[in-house]
Amino acid sequence: HVGSLYPDRDEVLVSGGDQWVLPVDMKTPGSITLSLPVMAGAKEVVIAACGVSDKYPQGKSAGMVRAIEGLETLVSFPASGLRGKSVWILDEAAASKLSPAYTSK
């Protein structure tokens, strides 16, 4: 997810400037998020992914390849809507599945 916009949820389909802040009822208590058009319209968008765990020894690598290179839609993976508008800051684990076009220095 990006900014509490989760896949397969109606919140990712909000377009235009009518709704800037959206309710998110994925957990208790609920939360709020900015709509994707508001995020995309920011002067600068930074997405960071880092860290590994026993459950995810390659960190956020699967998610980052989906967000940056995958054949995703806004509905299937909301972060894909920020391609071309974001600076992506990833640790080595999160970048480990990206193609060389995205990892060359």
Side-chain angles (χ1 to χ4, degrees):
H1 72 277
V2 64
S4 293
L5 291 174
Y6 292 87
D8 303 316
R9 304 262 311 163
D10 291 339
E11 294 92 359
V12 300
L13 299 175
V14 170
S15 61
D18 292 342
Q19 290 183 285
W20 288 22
V21 178
L22 305 170
V24 179
D25 296 321
M26 291 291 295
K27 300 176 184 177
T28 302
S31 62
I32 60 172
T33 186
L34 296 175
S35 68
L36 200 54
V38 170
M39 289 183 210
K43 184 176 179 181
E44 187 167 4
V45 177
V46 177
I47 297 176
C50 61
V52 297
S53 66
D54 290 339
K55 186 176 179 181
Y56 297 104
Q58 291 186 308
K60 307 284 185 183
S61 59
M64 291 302 94
V65 79
R66 288 179 69 188
I68 296 169
E69 297 186 77
L71 299 174
E72 301 290 345
T73 67
L74 290 178
V75 174
S76 68
F77 210 80
S80 68
L82 297 173
R83 290 178 186 159
K85 301 176 186 298
S86 301
V87 173
W88 301 77
I89 300 173
L90 312 176
D91 67 3
E92 188 173 339
S96 65
K97 292 185 179 181
L98 294 174
S99 68
Y102 293 96
T103 59
S104 61
K105 296 178 182 178

